Amino acid sequence: MTKTLTSSAQDKVLRRRLGHTDLLLSPLGLGCWQFSNGNGLVGKFWPVLAPEAMTRIVETSLQGGINWFDTAEVYGGGQSELLLARTLKQLGSEEAERAYIATKWWPVFRTASSIPATIDERLRLLDNRTIHLHQVHQPYSFSSVASEMKEMAKLVQAGKIRHVGVSNFSAKNMREADRILREHGLRLASNQVKYNLLDRSIERNGILDAAKELGVSIIAYSPLEQGLLSGKYHRNPELVKAMSGPRKWTSGFRATGLRKTLPLIEALEQLGAKYDASPTQIALNWLIHGNGDTVFAIPGASKPHHASENVQAMRFALTAAELRSLSELSERARV
């Protein structure tokens, strides 16, 4: 269920500081993997979006209070960066001009030397917009964390990027990254990891604790467990058969998995009735309020109504008791 967005509603979206940076961001950003234009192995995960749909998705996100966008080099080999920047330029609004950009360097089969070697291409594809957050996309490369952070620090000092983040890093590697950045007068801003009501592994492997200890923000990707938390597959299991791609074979989408997670979905629906919200919005709200201001989330949107659904999740706050109740139910729903 979605509501018409108004300027007064936009003003109610509170900003929170990303880590130790000066960036004041909306609790939700827009994940832009789906803007890959069907390019490359990673980009083929999503259908090609029509330019009009992309424009409406970005515009709806901005009007709803989202002020930052997360993209990456590997998303369509730069297509996501290019199309995001093009769309923001075409919109030309004050919100579009002020939007913050986060992107990522792809490290697999590379060394840290490719960080400075590829930054000008990132900037070119982004139409020379400021890169507010540049992240190491994966911990797997031919270089050490220390080497990567030293190259990132040089980019900050050269004015090529504003802040440094990582993605999919362990607690140990987060601490190492922050230690090296401190030597250059900087701090690690964020760690982008998978986190949602059905995948809370960062609470058990030390990543969330390390983030709170260091003052590093968590950016949660896959915040809806690939749509499982929407509840639509529980209400209509036939939709699973019509799905394309490998996710239909994962445990969560099997009949046994759907049965196990149904009590959680029912709780999301009950809270949704209270807040005039969808299960999706309740699940996102749990993410951005369950750990103070530590966790941001980047749901994607392949249709304009998805973007409208996303922004409405920032219009309310679950109570402490409701957050705890969902946490307890989600522990029993792990598949």
Side-chain angles (χ1 to χ4, degrees):
M1 72 193 53
T2 57
K3 304 175 185 176
T4 302
L5 302 175
T6 65
S7 57
S8 60
Q10 296 167 32
D11 295 339
K12 291 179 182 177
V13 176
L14 298 177
R15 307 299 189 218
R16 57 178 62 165
R17 191 174 303 279
L18 182 77
H20 294 279
T21 75
D22 57 354
L23 303 179
L24 294 177
L25 306 182
S26 49
L28 296 182
L30 179 70
C32 296
W33 180 10
Q34 71 277 11
F35 294 172
S36 297
N37 211 25
N39 283 26
L41 286 175
V42 170
K44 284 182 170 57
F45 186 89
W46 296 95
V48 176
L49 297 183
E52 316 86 70
M54 201 175 305
T55 298
R56 287 183 59 201
I57 288 167
V58 172
E59 185 174 36
T60 299
S61 299
L62 289 167
Q63 290 179 345
I66 284 176
N67 70 341
W68 63 289
F69 298 82
D70 180 83
T71 181
E73 175 186 14
V74 78
Y75 297 164
Q79 281 292 295
S80 174
E81 295 169 317
L82 173 69
L83 295 174
L84 171 62
R86 183 180 296 170
T87 302
L88 289 169
K89 185 174 184 178
Q90 289 171 346
L91 286 171
S93 65
E94 186 177 348
E95 292 86 359
E97 289 303 312
R98 291 188 314 211
Y100 295 106
I101 302 293
T103 192
K104 310 180 201 73
W105 167 70
W106 185 249
V108 179
F109 299 122
R110 283 171 154 178
T111 65
S113 63
S114 82
I115 295 175
T118 56
I119 193 62
D120 286 340
E121 179 68 355
R122 308 273 65 73
L123 290 165
R124 182 187 72 81
L125 290 168
L126 287 165
D127 196 31
N128 291 309
R129 295 182 66 100
T130 299
I131 296 176
H132 297 92
L133 179 67
H134 199 27
Q135 304 154 94
V136 176
H137 204 147
Q138 295 281 352
Y140 315 111
S141 81
F142 290 138
S143 292
S144 65
V145 171
S147 296
E148 292 170 352
M149 292 303 106
K150 288 174 184 176
E151 293 299 338
M152 285 287 200
K154 290 177 186 176
L155 293 186
V156 175
Q157 292 156 1
K160 299 276 190 177
I161 64 175
R162 288 282 309 282
H163 301 287
V164 181
V166 295
S167 182
N168 299 301
F169 270 40
S170 67
K172 178 183 177 182
N173 284 346
M174 284 172 62
R175 290 193 173 90
E176 173 70 356
D178 189 58
R179 183 184 71 79
I180 297 300
L181 289 171
R182 283 180 190 237
E183 294 177 358
H184 297 269
L186 303 171
R187 295 297 303 275
L188 181 66
S190 57
N191 188 10
Q192 186 174 140
V193 291
K194 187 180 180 188
Y195 186 40
N196 60 59
L197 272 167
L198 292 174
D199 189 340
R200 297 169 59 188
S201 56
I202 68 166
E203 297 177 13
R204 295 183 288 274
N205 61 20
I207 289 175
L208 185 58
D209 287 340
K212 291 179 178 180
E213 172 194 325
L214 297 170
V216 170
S217 290
I218 291 293
I219 300 175
Y221 68 77
S222 196
L224 300 172
E225 191 60 28
Q226 299 186 4
L228 189 58
L229 286 164
S230 71
K232 66 181 182 180
Y233 299 103
H234 296 77
R235 296 307 171 199
N236 186 4
E238 291 299 310
L239 291 174
V240 177
K241 297 178 182 178
M243 287 168 55
S244 60
R247 64 176 173 158
K248 68 187 295 183
W249 307 113
T250 60
S251 59
F253 287 94
R254 294 173 186 160
T256 52
L258 292 173
R259 283 195 298 271
K260 189 171 184 180
T261 54
L262 182 58
L264 175 61
I265 298 301
E266 290 174 337
L268 295 176
E269 291 173 340
Q270 289 166 7
L271 284 170
K274 173 182 175 180
Y275 288 98
D276 191 19
S278 67
T280 290
Q281 291 160 355
I282 300 295
L284 289 173
N285 199 270
W286 176 87
L287 264 181
I288 61 178
H289 292 299
N291 288 280
D293 286 349
T294 297
V295 178
F296 295 77
I298 47 169
S302 56
K303 296 178 182 177
H305 74 83
H306 295 157
S308 184
E309 178 112 349
N310 291 344
V311 297
Q312 293 297 336
M314 299 187 289
R315 305 283 175 242
F316 61 95
L318 296 169
T319 67
E322 289 164 346
L323 292 168
R324 282 196 302 273
S325 177
L326 286 177
S327 296
E328 290 167 3
L329 276 171
S330 76
E331 281 298 314
R332 296 197 292 270
R334 286 165 57 190
V335 291

